Amino acid sequence: MTMPTDGEADRILQLEEEVQQLKEAVVSHAVVDQAIGVVVVLGRVSPDQGWTVLREVSQHTNVKLRDVAGTIVASGRTGVLPPGIRAELGKALDRLGAPGGPDATGPAVTARPAGPPCVRGTVAGP
């Protein structure tokens, strides 16, 4: 077996970094998609509007979109949404004229009791 040349070694490192970035992007994309789903249910908006809401919250809070998404997804488990993100989420939904929001009342925004996680196509809880 031959050893890679300097150019080949550099290329291998470059490709390894690219693979790592792609792995992170796949995970990030999944979290963003989940957060869009939460916003769709919470705000009773379309998926395209959910994407717009996430983007606006990210821009107005100066928090990376994937971090906003992760916080929103986690809030579905914990019931806790940081005040800054909560406020911007409400404002973004208001701008769309969405009937729901993080401070609205009703079953669409009520925190789910602790229990088993949601399974695709079903909702866990009572």
Side-chain angles (χ1 to χ4, degrees):
M1 184 162 150
T2 61
M3 296 295 292
T5 65
D6 285 342
E8 290 171 335
D10 289 342
R11 181 69 177 141
I12 290 170
L13 284 174
Q14 179 186 13
L15 290 171
E16 287 174 344
E17 288 175 14
E18 187 175 332
V19 166
Q20 184 59 37
Q21 289 171 352
L22 289 170
K23 286 179 181 179
E24 291 171 9
V26 166
V27 170
S28 178
H29 186 53
V31 172
V32 170
D33 283 347
Q34 291 170 10
I36 288 171
V38 171
V39 172
V40 164
V41 171
L42 177 70
R44 299 180 195 125
V45 297
S46 72
D48 286 342
Q49 290 171 316
W51 166 251
T52 298
V53 166
L54 279 184
R55 199 177 62 231
E56 288 182 9
V57 170
S58 173
Q59 290 171 346
H60 289 110
T61 59
N62 199 27
V63 176
K64 289 183 179 185
L65 190 127
R66 69 175 176 257
D67 294 337
V68 168
T71 299
I72 289 172
V73 170
S75 76
R77 290 187 305 272
T78 65
V80 176
L81 193 59
I85 290 177
R86 176 182 292 276
E88 288 303 326
L89 181 58
K91 289 176 189 177
L93 289 169
D94 285 347
R95 284 190 290 274
L96 289 174
D103 294 318
T105 59
V109 295
T110 303
R112 183 175 62 81
C118 292
V119 178
R120 187 179 192 117
T122 65
V123 178

